[in-house]
Amino acid sequence: MIKCLAIDDEPLALRQLSTYISKIPFLELIGSCESAAEARRIMEEEIIDAIFIDINMPDLSGMDFVKSLSAPPLVVFTTAYSEYAIDGFKVDAVDYLLKPFGLDDMRRAANKLKARHDLMTAAQTATAKEEGKAKEEEGDSNTLFLKTEHRVVRVDIDNIQYIEGMSEYLRIHFADDTRPLTVLLSMKKIEERLPRNSFMRIHRSYIINIKKIQEVNKNRVIMDADTYLPIGDLYRETFNAYLSSKFLGK
C-alpha cells in the first residue's frame, strides 16, 4: 500500500480528492489536510509515501511546501491553473491533475504514482541487498578456509599469532592452545589475504600478528615467553617505521 495525504484548502475539492483516493485499491489515505502546515504535522509523525496537493493555497503554496521538504515524498499536484504544470515537473512531480478532474484522471495519475513507487522500492531493495552482502563479506574477512592433508579447516584470522614459512609449506601458530596448522601454501599468497593493519612480514620466513607482539628486543620480536622471532634486514625499515608511528615516549 502507498500511504497518501490529500491536501487542498477548498473543503469540497478536498472531499472529492479524498474520495477518489479511497477508490484506488493500492492507495491508503492517511489524512485529509486543508493546509500545508497540517500536512507537515502529520508527516512529522507518519511515514508518507505520496501526497496529492493543490498548488494554489494561501499562506504556503503547494509548490513552496514541496520545495521546503528535505526528503519529499512522491507528489501529484492538483490545480485549476494550467500554467503551473511546468513548475510542477521542475520539482519532479509524478503527475499534474487539472481541475476539474474525474476518477479516470485520478486512476491514470495513481498508476503513474504506483509505477514510480515500485521502481523506488525495487532500487531500495537492491541497495539493501548489496549492503547486506557487503556486511556479510566484511564479516567473512575474519575467516580463512585452509586445506591441510585431506581436510579443510576454518581459521579465525584474529587468533593467528604468527606464520612460519617452511619451503613450500606454512606453519600457522595460534594465540590460544590450538595446535599449529601446516598447509601447502606460499608466504606471498597468504600475505595477500591477511589484513595489512594486523599482519606484517618481519622476515622472509615470518609473518606476525602485530596485535600479539609482547616486546621488541633489539633485532627480535617477542610474541610470548617461548617465541622469539628475528627481524630480517629487508623488513627492518618497514617494521621500525611501524614502531615509530606507535611509540609514545622520549
Side-chain angles (χ1 to χ4, degrees):
M1 296 291 283
I2 301 174
K3 296 183 177 182
C4 305
L5 288 182
I7 309 166
D8 199 310
D9 65 305
E10 298 178 6
L12 290 178
L14 180 60
R15 189 177 304 119
Q16 182 188 55
L17 179 58
S18 301
T19 299
Y20 285 167
I21 290 174
S22 67
K23 292 180 181 294
I24 308 297
F26 51 82
L27 298 184
E28 180 184 356
L29 182 64
I30 301 300
S32 298
C33 309
E34 294 187 3
S35 69
E38 184 181 353
R40 192 186 298 276
R41 285 194 292 272
I42 294 176
M43 293 174 69
E44 288 174 351
E45 298 178 358
E46 297 274 355
I47 296 175
I48 301 299
D49 301 312
I51 57 175
F52 292 80
I53 184 169
D54 185 25
I55 291 179
N56 190 23
M57 295 191 298
D59 299 329
L60 184 64
S61 73
M63 186 70 64
D64 290 338
F65 173 65
V66 171
K67 290 178 179 178
S68 73
L69 299 173
S70 58
L74 297 173
V75 178
V76 174
F77 283 118
T78 67
T79 185
Y81 303 96
S82 59
E83 63 268 23
Y84 287 122
I86 294 177
D87 290 336
F89 289 110
K90 284 181 179 178
V91 293
D92 197 28
V94 174
D95 206 355
Y96 173 90
L97 290 170
L98 183 62
K99 296 179 181 180
F101 56 87
L103 183 56
D104 287 342
D105 298 316
M106 180 66 182
R107 287 198 179 102
R108 172 179 53 79
N111 286 333
K112 291 176 69 174
L113 183 71
K114 184 177 185 300
R116 179 84 69 88
H117 181 265
D118 289 348
L119 282 174
M120 291 174 59
T121 300
Q124 290 168 357
T125 300
T127 300
K129 287 182 178 178
E130 287 298 319
E131 290 176 349
K133 182 179 179 182
K135 288 181 180 179
E136 184 178 345
E137 289 175 350
E138 183 179 346
D140 287 345
S141 66
N142 285 328
T143 297
L144 289 176
F145 285 92
L146 299 175
K147 187 174 182 180
T148 175
E149 298 177 342
H150 302 293
R151 301 177 298 139
V152 175
V153 180
R154 179 185 178 278
V155 173
D156 181 357
I157 290 178
D158 290 338
N159 190 35
I160 296 175
Q161 185 183 49
Y162 69 96
I163 298 167
E164 181 182 2
M166 302 181 301
S167 187
E168 296 179 349
Y169 290 84
L170 300 179
R171 178 169 290 168
I172 301 174
H173 300 261
F174 299 97
D176 60 13
D177 294 330
T178 303
R179 291 178 58 186
L181 188 68
T182 301
V183 297
L184 179 61
L185 196 65
S186 69
M187 291 286 277
K188 180 181 178 182
K189 195 72 174 178
I190 200 165
E191 190 175 11
E192 290 173 351
R193 180 62 178 80
L194 295 170
R196 296 191 177 188
N197 63 335
S198 298
F199 288 85
M200 181 179 295
R201 194 165 182 174
I202 61 166
H203 188 277
R204 61 186 298 271
S205 298
Y206 294 105
I207 296 172
I208 64 170
N209 185 339
I210 54 181
K211 295 179 181 179
K212 308 298 184 184
I213 295 174
Q214 290 191 1
E215 187 178 330
V216 178
N217 189 336
K218 296 183 179 179
N219 292 325
R220 297 185 300 176
V221 176
I222 301 172
M223 304 301 291
D224 57 41
D226 301 315
T227 307
Y228 295 70
L229 304 179
I231 302 171
D233 292 339
L234 293 176
Y235 305 92
R236 184 173 291 110
E237 183 176 349
T238 301
F239 182 69
N240 287 340
Y242 166 76
L243 286 182
S244 297
S245 70
K246 301 297 181 182
F247 185 73
L248 184 64
K250 296 182 179 179

